Amino acid sequence: MHKVMISVGEASGDLHGASIADALKELEPDIRIFGMGGQAMRKAGVEIVHDIADLGIIGFVEVVKNLPRFFRLRDELIDLMKKEQPDVLLVIDYPDFNMRLAPKARELGIPVVSYIPPSAWAWRKGRAKSVAKIVDKIASIFPFEAEVYQKAGADVEFVGHPLIDIIKPSMDKETAYKFFGINPNQPVILLLPGSRKHEIENLLPVMLKSAEKIKLIYPECQFILPVASTISQEMLQGMIKQYSVNVKLTFENTYDLMAIADSAIAASGTVTLEAAILGLPTVVIYKMAAMTYFIGRLLVKIPNISLPNIVAGKRIIPELLQYEVNADNIARETLALLPLSEQGEKVRKELLAVKEKLGAGGAVKRAAQVVLNAAKKR
């Protein structure tokens, strides 16, 4: 029986970790999987030794402030590796933490597989060589990403994008409208402020202000906020009460919800690609601490920050960055994406092309096989 240890730090990584765990169990039913994750991984049968619910930290400045906490957590996971001696460590995304954990695993003779590796194609391009030295195998989700790591000397395999396998609505539209209590004849706008506390505090207030402005133009608009497993419902309700707009909170079947929504306002991240796959036009917003943003601008070398635009190779959905993130701008861009508008229909067609570029599926099974192969080699 092989033992696999997984390390993730965010809700999106938790989802990918759960999918990999399911695929690993199909390949080897008696495999043991444990590590750091959340509710999705727990439901997939992973033994969770540290829950990620309290890891709501982003950005350079925020990470620096929390370094002592990160070091303590890293040491806890190192002690776990020493005790359990897993056959492989699978690190998923969350690079500022996982790329500090990986070298320690290799010192213990434990091979490391990086799934959804650091975005060296976007920034810190020299980091690709560093990552190549501290992980044994990279399972890449973008073809252009695989090329960057190959040039850096990494052992990399392009497996395709896992979201094509994961994002599958379970209901038809009529059933979904009834399930969520949504009027199909009135616009549905999703608020997607992120899965981390810092993002919620930073972005939800301006989203709610923009919702107030949209309501003035389209009073019948319905606003819905899918709650990430890492976020407190009470915190969200407390923030929403401060604004004169009704927002319905939902807790499950988010992909079914995205499939019937008309547009969304979203924090930059994986959720924007999820929305793209489901054909949901989205206004992407990105706002961080001033110093974090300044450092990022110096390092980021790509014209667009949202994954749908990066995959498309051009800007197809609106992006509002830092000082552009205000209620007026968000409301204007969101209204332009609603159905029957020329811009909205154009974006929907462009999103179909983005989905095609991500491949036909099977990425999760291929990634799981990469992990199992690494475990067998040990």
Side-chain angles (χ1 to χ4, degrees):
M1 177 182 73
H2 290 101
K3 294 195 291 186
V4 175
M5 180 171 168
I6 303 179
S7 175
V8 310
E10 300 169 303
S12 59
D14 181 41
L15 184 64
H16 293 305
S19 296
I20 291 289
D22 287 336
L24 283 169
K25 288 181 178 180
E26 286 184 15
L27 292 169
E28 187 177 300
D30 62 345
I31 196 168
R32 184 183 168 212
I33 311 172
F34 60 91
M36 181 168 74
Q39 291 182 17
M41 285 171 55
R42 185 177 281 110
K43 288 180 181 178
V46 179
E47 300 170 32
I48 301 300
V49 297
H50 186 94
D51 198 290
I52 64 171
D54 61 345
L55 296 182
I57 298 168
I58 58 174
F60 304 98
V61 175
E62 294 83 0
V63 168
V64 169
K65 288 180 180 178
N66 286 273
L67 278 177
R69 178 183 170 200
F70 277 125
F71 285 133
R72 286 194 300 271
L73 178 55
R74 184 195 63 177
D75 291 343
E76 288 176 15
L77 295 183
I78 292 171
D79 289 340
L80 180 66
M81 286 190 287
K82 290 178 179 178
K83 177 184 175 182
E84 296 289 349
Q85 286 295 307
D87 296 299
V88 62
L89 170 66
L90 170 63
V91 293
I92 302 177
D93 205 356
Y94 211 53
D96 288 309
F97 179 85
N98 279 331
M99 290 304 114
R100 289 176 172 83
L101 180 65
K104 299 299 180 180
R106 294 195 73 189
E107 288 176 12
L108 295 172
I110 300 169
V112 179
V113 174
S114 176
Y115 182 52
I116 311 180
S119 303
W121 43 269
W123 59 292
R124 299 192 203 176
K125 290 195 174 181
R127 195 177 192 186
K129 292 183 178 180
S130 300
V131 173
K133 294 177 181 178
I134 60 176
V135 305
D136 296 273
K137 186 80 174 185
I138 292 175
S140 174
I141 61 174
F142 295 112
F144 52 84
E145 174 183 71
E147 184 179 347
V148 169
Y149 276 106
Q150 284 173 345
K151 289 181 179 178
D155 183 357
V156 57
E157 181 176 336
F158 172 60
V159 295
H161 205 288
L163 289 181
I164 298 297
D165 296 311
I166 294 170
I167 299 179
K168 296 176 181 178
S170 61
M171 311 174 191
D172 59 55
K173 290 194 173 185
E174 183 178 353
T175 303
Y177 280 120
K178 292 179 180 178
F179 180 85
F180 293 107
I182 292 173
N183 186 333
N185 300 314
Q186 297 175 352
V188 178
I189 298 176
L190 302 191
L191 305 182
L192 305 168
S195 60
R196 296 171 284 200
K197 183 179 178 182
H198 183 90
E199 288 178 313
I200 302 292
E201 294 173 339
N202 211 19
L203 298 177
L204 184 55
V206 72
M207 287 185 177
L208 293 169
K209 287 180 183 177
S210 67
E212 289 179 329
K213 291 182 177 293
I214 292 169
K215 269 282 191 181
L216 293 175
I217 299 173
Y218 284 102
E220 70 276 15
C221 268
Q222 303 165 93
F223 294 94
I224 304 180
L225 195 163
V227 181
S229 62
T230 51
I231 297 299
S232 161
Q233 177 183 348
E234 290 71 26
M235 181 185 79
L236 293 174
Q237 290 174 331
M239 296 176 74
I240 291 169
K241 287 179 181 178
Q242 300 176 43
Y243 298 85
S244 58
V245 61
N246 292 323
V247 178
K248 177 181 288 188
L249 302 183
T250 63
F251 305 89
E252 56 186 340
N253 296 85
T254 299
Y255 295 145
D256 293 291
L257 181 60
M258 286 183 172
I260 60 173
D262 296 303
S263 66
I265 306 167
S268 178
T270 304
V271 71
T272 63
L273 198 57
E274 294 173 331
I277 291 171
L278 290 165
L280 176 60
T282 303
V283 177
V284 182
I285 64 176
Y286 187 77
K287 187 177 182 182
M288 306 182 75
M291 183 57 69
T292 299
Y293 180 73
F294 174 74
I295 296 172
R297 291 288 290 178
L298 293 177
L299 295 175
V300 173
K301 305 299 182 183
I302 53 177
N304 298 302
I305 64 161
S306 68
L307 289 170
N309 289 340
I310 294 170
V311 173
K314 61 183 179 180
R315 182 163 297 192
I316 60 174
I317 59 174
E319 296 181 357
L320 298 173
L321 311 182
Q322 204 67 1
Y323 304 110
E324 299 172 335
V325 179
N326 60 60
D328 288 328
N329 287 344
I330 296 173
R332 182 187 67 253
E333 296 288 0
T334 303
L335 289 169
L337 294 179
L338 289 178
L340 303 181
S341 70
E342 182 178 344
Q343 179 64 16
E345 293 307 312
K346 179 181 178 182
V347 169
R348 284 173 177 80
K349 291 179 181 178
E350 297 275 17
L351 292 177
L352 289 174
V354 168
K355 181 179 180 180
E356 290 177 1
K357 287 186 176 183
L358 296 174
V364 174
K365 289 184 179 179
R366 286 190 288 272
Q369 189 63 63
V370 168
V371 175
L372 190 57
N373 290 344
K376 289 178 178 178
K377 285 182 179 179
R378 193 188 186 219

